[in-house]
């Protein structure tokens, strides 16, 4: 009696953007890009991607990982607090319109209502990406950390740490200075607007 062969199934990661044959690629329109193009800052800024990318073979997960490695956040759809919409080098075949899709349409609508989101090209984004070093692992943004709640929690932690540092500094100054000098310094700091 023979033993049936076991089959191994391997799940491959889902790519959120399909690679197109070079003959069917349509370059994206530049008309919706911000002009002049803004400075791109990654740390604590949010990014959303649309279109087909050349970067990392069109793997949008790698685009997002590159942003998170520099302290940025990634959204799957444009929101009012989005910092940058990055438009891939080529149009997505499924776009609602020939030269742009719903993400671009939504971002333009948000901008018309006061959002400060910038629309930039993949080429421009890549230039800043290459000139911005990755942060140490402990400062990188973990995957999935993109909500305002997560940002507020992180800011609260940083604020708590600043308060602790301030208390330590005040304690060191109090020990190092004569009482009259310490009072004078504290008075000058309060007059300059610093709350201690």
């Amino acid at each position: 009696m023979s033993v049936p062969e076991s089959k191994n199934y391997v799940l491959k990661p889902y790519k959120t953007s399909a690679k197109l044959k070079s003959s069917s690629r349509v370059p994206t329109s530049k008309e919706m890009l911000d002009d002049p193009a803004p400075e791109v800052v990654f740390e604590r800024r949010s990014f959303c991607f649309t279109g087909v990318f050349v970067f990392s073979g069109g793997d949008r997960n790698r685009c997002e990982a590159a942003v998170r490695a520099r302290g940025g956040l990634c959204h799957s759809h444009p929101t009012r607090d989005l910092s940058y919409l990055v438009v891939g080098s080529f149009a997505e075949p499924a776009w609602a319109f020939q030269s742009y899709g719903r993400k671009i349409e939504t971002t333009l609508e948000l901008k018309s209502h006061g959002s400060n989101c910038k629309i930039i090209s993949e080429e421009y984004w890549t230039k800043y990406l290459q000139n911005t070093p990755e942060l140490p692992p402990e400062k990188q943004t973990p995957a999935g950390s993109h909500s305002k709640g997560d940002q507020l929690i992180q800011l609260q932690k940083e604020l708590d740490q600043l308060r602790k540092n301030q208390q330590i500094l005040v304690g060191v100054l109090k020990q190092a200075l004569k009482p009259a000098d310490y009072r004078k310094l504290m008075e000058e700091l309060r007059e300059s607007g610093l709350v201690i």
Side-chain angles (χ1 to χ4, degrees):
M1 198 169 180
S2 66
V3 177
E5 267 186 49
S6 65
K7 291 185 179 181
N8 290 329
Y9 295 94
V10 177
L11 292 176
K12 295 182 179 179
Y14 174 72
K15 290 190 178 184
T16 55
S17 125
K19 290 183 187 176
L20 297 175
K21 294 179 183 169
S22 60
S23 62
S24 63
R25 289 185 173 183
V26 177
T28 53
S29 171
K30 307 268 187 225
E31 67 186 74
M32 79 290 288
L33 302 177
D34 279 26
D35 189 22
E39 177 183 6
V40 178
V41 177
F42 289 90
E43 200 166 354
R44 294 191 186 151
R45 300 301 194 284
S46 56
F47 292 78
C48 181
F49 297 90
T50 188
V52 178
F53 286 75
V54 174
F55 181 84
S56 287
D59 187 343
R60 206 172 288 170
N61 291 329
R62 288 186 179 177
C63 295
E64 292 178 358
V67 167
R68 288 191 306 272
R70 288 156 180 82
L73 307 163
C74 295
H75 294 293
S76 58
H77 297 286
T79 61
R80 186 163 180 75
D81 62 334
L82 183 67
S83 303
Y84 304 98
L85 177 68
V86 184
V87 181
S89 297
F90 298 98
E92 190 77 61
W95 274 357
F97 307 98
Q98 188 174 3
S99 62
Y100 63 95
R102 297 281 181 219
K103 289 180 183 178
I104 295 171
E105 182 181 44
T106 302
T107 303
L108 291 171
E109 180 71 20
L110 290 168
K111 286 175 71 133
S112 73
H113 287 77
S115 173
N116 198 27
C117 179
K118 305 297 182 195
I119 302 176
I120 59 175
S121 68
E122 173 187 6
E123 179 184 358
Y124 191 74
W125 169 79
T126 304
K127 181 180 93 170
Y128 274 89
L129 188 74
Q130 292 170 344
N131 291 322
T132 305
E134 290 186 6
L135 296 175
E138 64 275 4
K139 291 198 170 205
Q140 294 182 8
T141 307
S145 294
H146 61 271
S147 71
K148 274 190 169 182
D150 291 335
Q151 292 175 5
L152 289 173
I153 290 168
Q154 181 62 33
L155 288 172
Q156 185 62 51
K157 286 179 183 177
E158 291 174 13
L159 183 61
D160 291 343
Q161 185 61 47
L162 286 172
R163 286 183 180 141
K164 286 178 186 176
N165 292 347
Q166 183 183 29
Q167 290 173 347
I168 292 168
L169 179 61
V170 167
V172 168
L173 288 172
K174 195 171 192 175
Q175 288 179 349
L177 297 173
K178 295 177 185 175
D181 293 337
Y182 174 76
R183 282 192 299 275
K184 183 180 177 183
L185 175 64
M186 291 295 115
E187 190 176 300
E188 288 176 10
L189 290 174
R190 285 187 194 102
E191 287 175 4
S192 70
L194 185 65
V195 178
I196 295 180

